[in-house]
Every structure is written in C-alpha cells, then in structure tokens.
Amino acid sequence: FFVLSTAYRNALLQEFYFLMRHLHIPYTDLLQMPTFERRFYINKVLEEFEKKNEAIEQAKNKSKNTY
C-alpha cells in the first residue's frame, strides 16, 4: 500500500492552489496533469511575474530620475 508523504502532499497542494488561483485550471485537470507539465506552467507564470515586477521597478526608477 503506497501513501504519499505529508511533505509531498503539501507541496502538491501548493502547486495546485497556485495554478488554480493564477491560471484558473480546474482541480480535476490538475489531478490528471503530469508533473512536468504542472511545473512548466508554474515556471512560465513565475517568469511573467518577474518580468512584470522588473518593468514596474524600471518605471519607478525612471520616474525618480525625472524629478
């Protein structure tokens, strides 16, 4: 009888929550999705967040330099 460890289950639920919240992927789809595909989507969203934050920082720095 195979049981997932608590740490693995928590990590899995964290991934599910992230993808449901930001990409609106249904829980049932996530259950069937392979790990590599879930991780791909997570990494893509994180890359987009980083680019957005960099653009915000550049805009802040640009506005500071104009005054």
Side-chain angles (χ1 to χ4, degrees):
F1 183 57
F2 177 73
V3 177
L4 298 174
S5 71
T6 302
Y8 182 80
R9 278 187 284 156
N10 286 338
L12 190 62
L13 290 173
Q14 290 283 343
E15 289 182 6
F16 283 13
Y17 174 78
F18 183 84
L19 291 171
M20 287 188 305
R21 181 166 170 22
H22 296 289
L23 297 180
H24 309 289
I25 298 174
Y27 183 76
T28 54
D29 290 351
L30 291 171
L31 285 173
Q32 297 174 0
M33 190 179 292
T35 302
F36 75 89
E37 192 173 345
R38 276 196 328 268
R39 301 271 166 86
F40 173 82
Y41 291 132
I42 290 169
N43 289 331
K44 283 297 182 186
V45 171
L46 291 176
E47 285 176 18
E48 288 180 21
F49 286 167
E50 288 173 5
K51 286 178 185 177
K52 184 177 177 182
N53 287 337
E54 287 174 8
I56 291 170
E57 285 299 318
Q58 287 176 353
K60 283 182 185 177
N61 291 336
K62 195 173 189 178
S63 67
K64 286 181 183 177
N65 291 336
T66 58
Y67 293 113

